Amino acid sequence: MSNTNLTQSIQNALSQLENAYSPANIEQGMYQNWEEQGYFKPTFDQPQSFSIALPPPNVTGSLHMGHGFNNTIMDTLTRYHRMSGFNTLWQPGTDHAGIATQMVVERRLNKQGIKRKDLSREDFIDKIWEWKEESGGNITSQIRRLGSSVDWSRERFTMDDGLSNTVKEVFVRLHEDGLIYRGKRLVNWDPALLTAISDLEVENKDVKGKMWHFHYPLADGKSTKDGKNYIVVATTRPETVLGDTGVAVNPKDERYQDLIGSFVELPIVGRRIPIVGDDHADMEKGTGCVKITPAHDFNDYEVGKRHELPMINILTEDAFIRESAEVFDSKGNASDVYSAELPASYQGVERFKARKQLVAEMDELGLLEKIEDNDMTVPYGDRGGVVIEPMLTDQWYVAVDKLAKPAIDAVENGDIEFVPAQYKNMYMAWMNDLQDWCISRQLWWGHRIPAWYDDEGNIYVARDEAEARSKHGLSDDVTLRQDDDVLDTWFSSGLWTFSTLGWSDNTDDPRIMPTFHPTSVLVTGFDIIFFWVARMIMLTMHFIKNEDGTPQVPFKTVYVHGLVRDGSGQKMSKSKGNVLDPIDLIDGIDLESLVTKRTSNMMNPKDAAKIEKQTRKEFADGIPAFGTDALRFTFTSLASTGRDINFDLKRVEGYRNFCNKIWNASRFVLMNCVDKEENALPVAESANPEQWGLPEKWIISRLNSTIASIHKHMNQYRLDMVSQDIYEFIWNEYCDWYVELAKATLNDDAVSDERKAQIRYVLLHVLETALRFTHPIMPYLTEQLWQTIAPLLNRKDVDSLVVANFPTADDGLISEQTEHDMTWLQDMIAGVRNIRGEMKLGNAVQLPVLLQGMSDEETARLQRVENQFKALAKIESLTLVADGEEVPLSSSSMVGQLRVLVPMKGLIDPTAELNRLAKAQEKLQKQAEGISRKLGNEGFVSKAPAQVVEAEKAKLAELEGQLSVMEKQVEELKSL
């Protein structure tokens, strides 16, 4: 590049970099340009491929810290692999989130005075689609704000036609394979939402409850061994007495062994129910007698199946006592073994009112023995907000036994790896104790179950009604109605990795599926390993096959990250008022807006007041704008695999300062490439190591060592270590040391123009390379700077850093000797700076320095770096002193055996220096005594490796030498 062109390029570069780093100015419009240029779209021109399926966030949602954390992890991995020459696809999409979305729309309609039941199903679903079009893009726009480089041209929604067709296809095939069936079983039932819900949608709360102890009279004149004509059972849910069909005692319990096979008379109802022997009854707990209500308790349900006890459903869908109970045998078939009639006084009574009523009646009958306080855990629906009822209902199930084995084998044989490895154990524990999966929900929004019923209740499963008729030879005269239920959201999301890649969609690019499936890694939290990860593995391996016909896994690695907690380690929740919004950290938010945001949806005024007070105390000045890059770097710096992270705003502030450091360093480097008239100074076009001094050789060695370390840590998913590598190199090594050393040399008139041109080349080369390896974590800042730096080195062979090459390490440029030499220079400079600080001498004071005890090797080193040493340590004169030669009274510092001395005359207060030396002597004396005790320990000397013992002896000798020198200094000071 000609000098004129170079001058123009540098001037242009400087004009693009404002004096102060402003993330808002940098980020504005940059993402849109990346997206419009198609940089995030996959290519098919490389032998290796890398793909991630974005865990689909709820379309109802907004970004929370967990999204910010896992999106940063995924984007860092994706950008790294894209720059490393992989065909790369990050597949985005959103989930229809059945319950959450239906609730949002119902609440909106309720505000308009409209109830869901006032509308037809079709009209209600139309309302949901209207709402989705209106606000469903909120989460995706926020994901864009995070800089996530997903291929938006391939965005999918779980209710899209293509995905819906996949869902129907999978359901029908599983049914044809005998792996989907309809049955009557116990489920988590939400009486507010009137639907079954998954365990993940149940929030267990610790509460102060009661334990009621009731007498159950023995039938047929039986009595206990101590002569009582009743047994005592305890319950936390008295209303379920109406549905009891047995009492369990432990078969080893000598108190009740004789009663097994006999009966009790169930109070109030008057039903004879058997006493059964079952290990579920704990001999050490309570009375050892447990009432069994198979239709309203999960444990009792299993006991009932083991002993073929009938099941009596006493509750309506909204948790009121029925007029007539539903009675079934242990297999779920209708039964008349017991009367269905329930006591008239309880019919139509709400469950908790029925509880009070039953306790009162038992007391009146003399059957209430006592009431105890009881700390207990009660299940609540996380969205309905009411106590969940175990309820006996007809639902659709997936039989998981056949699906589970390949999914277990895939993890056992290493086809799927968990990172960190301990989550493999959690996965295996779940997989080895699987229950059939309830996949139906009593909602209107979702994938409607592809099953039709005739008037006799016969079921026809098919892709549509026409297929149901043709498949089963049904004429148009036969009336069919489709099942009203929809599928559990986890069913459609369990197909995510292949449904999004066009498995049942002929319109998709045929190269997509074979190139990017199985996906490379799934990034997720530990809490959904069973609900999502395991089900994806089972369903994918059943439907997707390799070329040899073996089952194909959905992903090769499962990267499990922890939860994002607040700075005190507390889980973030709206009720605690400690939630942070990633967008607020990026853009900033004033105090009043933050208070409103945290309290506006709180129903309890006392809680709102408490959170307002807490917020005003913690964020008195609001939250400043940190920018996306600082937030992302904070997330990666905390990303120790599998561990929860405590999020502290001071960290974000620190990494905002890091961004500013990179910005200022870039401006500084550019300004050192022009003279006072802003004409370009020579920049070498290529590296010439013959012109390099120790600083250049050192920074190039450290650059390549850092690159190698980043590659290693990326492949280990240790993004925290990647961040540490980057921070340490850019801030501590490049900015704090090399830039300062280079500046000293560039300002030295004795240095040749050729060498200065090489130094400018190295400054720019190292900076440009560092921007490339930092880009996956800090995409915005690095892109802005790279666009200005790369042209000066003729490296802008692509239009964006997004698609530039990730650096590779050159092992030939890594020199341990060079790095040792530079460490010596740094120690020398640090030694002078320590003396300056201890003597309280300002940085402007030029110091005379004496060096005593220099080896030949150190003398040669000094010749190479003398100018840098003098410039950075602010040295006026440098004098070498032979061993044993008298030196004036000086303050000193030791670098190995070398003494760095600054004569005190005219510079310091002798009394203050004596105090400093006394403290230094005390510190060294303690170190020496510690090593002496260790060497005096026969056990240590005999067991420790010889080289360790010798190293300790050498260290002791060095300390004793330093103490001897200090003692001499003390005597000289005292003589003044």
Side-chain angles (χ1 to χ4, degrees), residues 338-359:
Y338 288 130
S339 169
E341 186 176 353
L342 292 168
S345 60
Y346 290 89
Q347 293 176 15
V349 179
E350 189 272 334
R351 56 180 167 165
F352 295 121
K353 290 182 178 178
R355 173 179 298 180
K356 293 179 181 179
Q357 181 177 324
L358 189 136
V359 171

PDB file of all heavy atoms in Angstrom, residues 338-359:
ATOM      1  N   TYR A 338     -68.350 -51.034  44.268  1.00  0.00           N
ATOM      2  CA  TYR A 338     -68.818 -50.164  45.330  1.00  0.00           C
ATOM      3  C   TYR A 338     -69.917 -49.276  44.795  1.00  0.00           C
ATOM      4  O   TYR A 338     -69.956 -48.957  43.594  1.00  0.00           O
ATOM      5  CB  TYR A 338     -67.688 -49.276  45.856  1.00  0.00           C
ATOM      6  CG  TYR A 338     -66.635 -49.996  46.672  1.00  0.00           C
ATOM      7  CD1 TYR A 338     -65.276 -49.834  46.402  1.00  0.00           C
ATOM      8  CD2 TYR A 338     -67.009 -50.818  47.730  1.00  0.00           C
ATOM      9  CE1 TYR A 338     -64.315 -50.479  47.153  1.00  0.00           C
ATOM     10  CE2 TYR A 338     -66.051 -51.473  48.499  1.00  0.00           C
ATOM     11  CZ  TYR A 338     -64.705 -51.303  48.203  1.00  0.00           C
ATOM     12  OH  TYR A 338     -63.769 -51.959  48.954  1.00  0.00           O
ATOM     13  N   SER A 339     -70.752 -48.816  45.666  1.00  0.00           N
ATOM     14  CA  SER A 339     -71.798 -47.872  45.284  1.00  0.00           C
ATOM     15  C   SER A 339     -71.153 -46.558  44.863  1.00  0.00           C
ATOM     16  O   SER A 339     -70.193 -46.081  45.482  1.00  0.00           O
ATOM     17  CB  SER A 339     -72.742 -47.622  46.459  1.00  0.00           C
ATOM     18  OG  SER A 339     -73.583 -46.525  46.175  1.00  0.00           O
ATOM     19  N   ALA A 340     -71.691 -45.969  43.816  1.00  0.00           N
ATOM     20  CA  ALA A 340     -71.160 -44.707  43.322  1.00  0.00           C
ATOM     21  C   ALA A 340     -71.701 -43.515  44.103  1.00  0.00           C
ATOM     22  O   ALA A 340     -71.189 -42.409  43.987  1.00  0.00           O
ATOM     23  CB  ALA A 340     -71.488 -44.542  41.835  1.00  0.00           C
ATOM     24  N   GLU A 341     -72.716 -43.752  44.928  1.00  0.00           N
ATOM     25  CA  GLU A 341     -73.347 -42.630  45.617  1.00  0.00           C
ATOM     26  C   GLU A 341     -72.449 -42.102  46.731  1.00  0.00           C
ATOM     27  O   GLU A 341     -71.859 -42.865  47.504  1.00  0.00           O
ATOM     28  CB  GLU A 341     -74.684 -43.071  46.205  1.00  0.00           C
ATOM     29  CG  GLU A 341     -75.473 -41.926  46.815  1.00  0.00           C
ATOM     30  CD  GLU A 341     -76.847 -42.360  47.313  1.00  0.00           C
ATOM     31  OE1 GLU A 341     -77.214 -43.522  47.051  1.00  0.00           O
ATOM     32  OE2 GLU A 341     -77.513 -41.549  47.963  1.00  0.00           O
ATOM     33  N   LEU A 342     -72.302 -40.789  46.798  1.00  0.00           N
ATOM     34  CA  LEU A 342     -71.538 -40.139  47.849  1.00  0.00           C
ATOM     35  C   LEU A 342     -72.506 -39.499  48.844  1.00  0.00           C
ATOM     36  O   LEU A 342     -73.641 -39.177  48.485  1.00  0.00           O
ATOM     37  CB  LEU A 342     -70.612 -39.073  47.248  1.00  0.00           C
ATOM     38  CG  LEU A 342     -69.458 -39.628  46.393  1.00  0.00           C
ATOM     39  CD1 LEU A 342     -68.780 -38.512  45.611  1.00  0.00           C
ATOM     40  CD2 LEU A 342     -68.440 -40.354  47.280  1.00  0.00           C
ATOM     41  N   PRO A 343     -72.092 -39.308  50.093  1.00  0.00           N
ATOM     42  CA  PRO A 343     -72.999 -38.711  51.089  1.00  0.00           C
ATOM     43  C   PRO A 343     -73.587 -37.403  50.581  1.00  0.00           C
ATOM     44  O   PRO A 343     -72.861 -36.539  50.069  1.00  0.00           O
ATOM     45  CB  PRO A 343     -72.089 -38.499  52.305  1.00  0.00           C
ATOM     46  CG  PRO A 343     -71.014 -39.523  52.146  1.00  0.00           C
ATOM     47  CD  PRO A 343     -70.778 -39.649  50.675  1.00  0.00           C
ATOM     48  N   ALA A 344     -74.877 -37.227  50.726  1.00  0.00           N
ATOM     49  CA  ALA A 344     -75.578 -36.078  50.156  1.00  0.00           C
ATOM     50  C   ALA A 344     -75.037 -34.755  50.678  1.00  0.00           C
ATOM     51  O   ALA A 344     -74.986 -33.762  49.943  1.00  0.00           O
ATOM     52  CB  ALA A 344     -77.073 -36.201  50.463  1.00  0.00           C
ATOM     53  N   SER A 345     -74.624 -34.734  51.948  1.00  0.00           N
ATOM     54  CA  SER A 345     -74.176 -33.467  52.533  1.00  0.00           C
ATOM     55  C   SER A 345     -72.861 -32.969  51.941  1.00  0.00           C
ATOM     56  O   SER A 345     -72.480 -31.810  52.145  1.00  0.00           O
ATOM     57  CB  SER A 345     -74.020 -33.613  54.050  1.00  0.00           C
ATOM     58  OG  SER A 345     -73.067 -34.600  54.358  1.00  0.00           O
ATOM     59  N   TYR A 346     -72.180 -33.838  51.213  1.00  0.00           N
ATOM     60  CA  TYR A 346     -70.888 -33.438  50.608  1.00  0.00           C
ATOM     61  C   TYR A 346     -71.011 -33.130  49.116  1.00  0.00           C
ATOM     62  O   TYR A 346     -70.097 -32.549  48.518  1.00  0.00           O
ATOM     63  CB  TYR A 346     -69.847 -34.547  50.816  1.00  0.00           C
ATOM     64  CG  TYR A 346     -69.409 -34.682  52.245  1.00  0.00           C
ATOM     65  CD1 TYR A 346     -70.085 -35.515  53.127  1.00  0.00           C
ATOM     66  CD2 TYR A 346     -68.325 -33.956  52.735  1.00  0.00           C
ATOM     67  CE1 TYR A 346     -69.699 -35.634  54.446  1.00  0.00           C
ATOM     68  CE2 TYR A 346     -67.923 -34.062  54.048  1.00  0.00           C
ATOM     69  CZ  TYR A 346     -68.614 -34.900  54.901  1.00  0.00           C
ATOM     70  OH  TYR A 346     -68.221 -35.000  56.216  1.00  0.00           O
ATOM     71  N   GLN A 347     -72.086 -33.538  48.519  1.00  0.00           N
ATOM     72  CA  GLN A 347     -72.229 -33.382  47.069  1.00  0.00           C
ATOM     73  C   GLN A 347     -72.210 -31.901  46.682  1.00  0.00           C
ATOM     74  O   GLN A 347     -72.921 -31.084  47.267  1.00  0.00           O
ATOM     75  CB  GLN A 347     -73.536 -34.029  46.595  1.00  0.00           C
ATOM     76  CG  GLN A 347     -73.556 -35.539  46.748  1.00  0.00           C
ATOM     77  CD  GLN A 347     -74.888 -36.148  46.373  1.00  0.00           C
ATOM     78  OE1 GLN A 347     -75.717 -35.498  45.731  1.00  0.00           O
ATOM     79  NE2 GLN A 347     -75.112 -37.398  46.779  1.00  0.00           N
ATOM     80  N   GLY A 348     -71.341 -31.561  45.720  1.00  0.00           N
ATOM     81  CA  GLY A 348     -71.243 -30.185  45.243  1.00  0.00           C
ATOM     82  C   GLY A 348     -70.440 -29.263  46.125  1.00  0.00           C
ATOM     83  O   GLY A 348     -70.394 -28.051  45.885  1.00  0.00           O
ATOM     84  N   VAL A 349     -69.803 -29.794  47.165  1.00  0.00           N
ATOM     85  CA  VAL A 349     -69.014 -28.971  48.084  1.00  0.00           C
ATOM     86  C   VAL A 349     -67.572 -28.857  47.566  1.00  0.00           C
ATOM     87  O   VAL A 349     -66.958 -29.852  47.159  1.00  0.00           O
ATOM     88  CB  VAL A 349     -69.018 -29.574  49.499  1.00  0.00           C
ATOM     89  CG1 VAL A 349     -68.173 -28.728  50.448  1.00  0.00           C
ATOM     90  CG2 VAL A 349     -70.449 -29.696  50.015  1.00  0.00           C
ATOM     91  N   GLU A 350     -67.019 -27.650  47.592  1.00  0.00           N
ATOM     92  CA  GLU A 350     -65.636 -27.423  47.165  1.00  0.00           C
ATOM     93  C   GLU A 350     -64.684 -28.210  48.062  1.00  0.00           C
ATOM     94  O   GLU A 350     -64.946 -28.392  49.254  1.00  0.00           O
ATOM     95  CB  GLU A 350     -65.331 -25.918  47.230  1.00  0.00           C
ATOM     96  CG  GLU A 350     -64.003 -25.501  46.603  1.00  0.00           C
ATOM     97  CD  GLU A 350     -62.856 -25.572  47.585  1.00  0.00           C
ATOM     98  OE1 GLU A 350     -63.109 -25.447  48.812  1.00  0.00           O
ATOM     99  OE2 GLU A 350     -61.698 -25.771  47.138  1.00  0.00           O
ATOM    100  N   ARG A 351     -63.577 -28.694  47.492  1.00  0.00           N
ATOM    101  CA  ARG A 351     -62.727 -29.673  48.176  1.00  0.00           C
ATOM    102  C   ARG A 351     -62.239 -29.218  49.548  1.00  0.00           C
ATOM    103  O   ARG A 351     -62.192 -30.021  50.502  1.00  0.00           O
ATOM    104  CB  ARG A 351     -61.522 -30.030  47.287  1.00  0.00           C
ATOM    105  CG  ARG A 351     -60.686 -28.832  46.849  1.00  0.00           C
ATOM    106  CD  ARG A 351     -59.511 -29.240  45.976  1.00  0.00           C
ATOM    107  NE  ARG A 351     -58.921 -28.065  45.327  1.00  0.00           N
ATOM    108  CZ  ARG A 351     -57.739 -28.041  44.743  1.00  0.00           C
ATOM    109  NH1 ARG A 351     -56.991 -29.137  44.732  1.00  0.00           N
ATOM    110  NH2 ARG A 351     -57.292 -26.945  44.172  1.00  0.00           N
ATOM    111  N   PHE A 352     -61.843 -27.953  49.702  1.00  0.00           N
ATOM    112  CA  PHE A 352     -61.297 -27.530  50.985  1.00  0.00           C
ATOM    113  C   PHE A 352     -62.403 -27.259  52.014  1.00  0.00           C
ATOM    114  O   PHE A 352     -62.196 -27.418  53.220  1.00  0.00           O
ATOM    115  CB  PHE A 352     -60.389 -26.310  50.807  1.00  0.00           C
ATOM    116  CG  PHE A 352     -59.155 -26.626  49.976  1.00  0.00           C
ATOM    117  CD1 PHE A 352     -58.890 -25.942  48.801  1.00  0.00           C
ATOM    118  CD2 PHE A 352     -58.280 -27.631  50.369  1.00  0.00           C
ATOM    119  CE1 PHE A 352     -57.776 -26.246  48.034  1.00  0.00           C
ATOM    120  CE2 PHE A 352     -57.163 -27.939  49.611  1.00  0.00           C
ATOM    121  CZ  PHE A 352     -56.907 -27.249  48.432  1.00  0.00           C
ATOM    122  N   LYS A 353     -63.571 -26.880  51.528  1.00  0.00           N
ATOM    123  CA  LYS A 353     -64.720 -26.792  52.436  1.00  0.00           C
ATOM    124  C   LYS A 353     -65.140 -28.189  52.875  1.00  0.00           C
ATOM    125  O   LYS A 353     -65.518 -28.413  54.040  1.00  0.00           O
ATOM    126  CB  LYS A 353     -65.877 -26.078  51.753  1.00  0.00           C
ATOM    127  CG  LYS A 353     -65.641 -24.589  51.535  1.00  0.00           C
ATOM    128  CD  LYS A 353     -66.850 -23.913  50.904  1.00  0.00           C
ATOM    129  CE  LYS A 353     -66.600 -22.408  50.732  1.00  0.00           C
ATOM    130  NZ  LYS A 353     -67.745 -21.737  50.089  1.00  0.00           N
ATOM    131  N   ALA A 354     -65.047 -29.144  51.939  1.00  0.00           N
ATOM    132  CA  ALA A 354     -65.367 -30.534  52.281  1.00  0.00           C
ATOM    133  C   ALA A 354     -64.394 -31.062  53.323  1.00  0.00           C
ATOM    134  O   ALA A 354     -64.774 -31.868  54.194  1.00  0.00           O
ATOM    135  CB  ALA A 354     -65.325 -31.395  51.020  1.00  0.00           C
ATOM    136  N   ARG A 355     -63.155 -30.605  53.263  1.00  0.00           N
ATOM    137  CA  ARG A 355     -62.152 -31.023  54.250  1.00  0.00           C
ATOM    138  C   ARG A 355     -62.581 -30.606  55.649  1.00  0.00           C
ATOM    139  O   ARG A 355     -62.582 -31.423  56.595  1.00  0.00           O
ATOM    140  CB  ARG A 355     -60.793 -30.416  53.892  1.00  0.00           C
ATOM    141  CG  ARG A 355     -59.721 -30.647  54.934  1.00  0.00           C
ATOM    142  CD  ARG A 355     -58.385 -30.055  54.512  1.00  0.00           C
ATOM    143  NE  ARG A 355     -57.890 -30.672  53.286  1.00  0.00           N
ATOM    144  CZ  ARG A 355     -56.736 -30.344  52.703  1.00  0.00           C
ATOM    145  NH1 ARG A 355     -55.968 -29.408  53.233  1.00  0.00           N
ATOM    146  NH2 ARG A 355     -56.350 -30.958  51.597  1.00  0.00           N
ATOM    147  N   LYS A 356     -62.941 -29.326  55.804  1.00  0.00           N
ATOM    148  CA  LYS A 356     -63.365 -28.829  57.115  1.00  0.00           C
ATOM    149  C   LYS A 356     -64.623 -29.564  57.592  1.00  0.00           C
ATOM    150  O   LYS A 356     -64.740 -29.916  58.770  1.00  0.00           O
ATOM    151  CB  LYS A 356     -63.626 -27.329  57.034  1.00  0.00           C
ATOM    152  CG  LYS A 356     -62.387 -26.487  56.789  1.00  0.00           C
ATOM    153  CD  LYS A 356     -62.739 -25.012  56.704  1.00  0.00           C
ATOM    154  CE  LYS A 356     -61.500 -24.165  56.440  1.00  0.00           C
ATOM    155  NZ  LYS A 356     -61.833 -22.720  56.322  1.00  0.00           N
ATOM    156  N   GLN A 357     -65.522 -29.800  56.663  1.00  0.00           N
ATOM    157  CA  GLN A 357     -66.783 -30.457  57.007  1.00  0.00           C
ATOM    158  C   GLN A 357     -66.530 -31.888  57.479  1.00  0.00           C
ATOM    159  O   GLN A 357     -67.116 -32.355  58.466  1.00  0.00           O
ATOM    160  CB  GLN A 357     -67.704 -30.446  55.779  1.00  0.00           C
ATOM    161  CG  GLN A 357     -69.066 -31.091  56.000  1.00  0.00           C
ATOM    162  CD  GLN A 357     -69.951 -30.968  54.761  1.00  0.00           C
ATOM    163  OE1 GLN A 357     -69.899 -29.961  54.054  1.00  0.00           O
ATOM    164  NE2 GLN A 357     -70.746 -31.991  54.500  1.00  0.00           N
ATOM    165  N   LEU A 358     -65.639 -32.592  56.801  1.00  0.00           N
ATOM    166  CA  LEU A 358     -65.370 -33.980  57.159  1.00  0.00           C
ATOM    167  C   LEU A 358     -64.671 -34.068  58.509  1.00  0.00           C
ATOM    168  O   LEU A 358     -64.985 -34.943  59.335  1.00  0.00           O
ATOM    169  CB  LEU A 358     -64.537 -34.656  56.077  1.00  0.00           C
ATOM    170  CG  LEU A 358     -64.386 -36.172  56.265  1.00  0.00           C
ATOM    171  CD1 LEU A 358     -64.584 -36.921  54.953  1.00  0.00           C
ATOM    172  CD2 LEU A 358     -63.044 -36.534  56.868  1.00  0.00           C
ATOM    173  N   VAL A 359     -63.722 -33.176  58.758  1.00  0.00           N
ATOM    174  CA  VAL A 359     -63.034 -33.188  60.054  1.00  0.00           C
ATOM    175  C   VAL A 359     -64.034 -32.954  61.177  1.00  0.00           C
ATOM    176  O   VAL A 359     -64.015 -33.632  62.225  1.00  0.00           O
ATOM    177  CB  VAL A 359     -61.914 -32.123  60.074  1.00  0.00           C
ATOM    178  CG1 VAL A 359     -61.340 -31.983  61.487  1.00  0.00           C
ATOM    179  CG2 VAL A 359     -60.812 -32.498  59.089  1.00  0.00           C
TER     180      VAL A 359
END
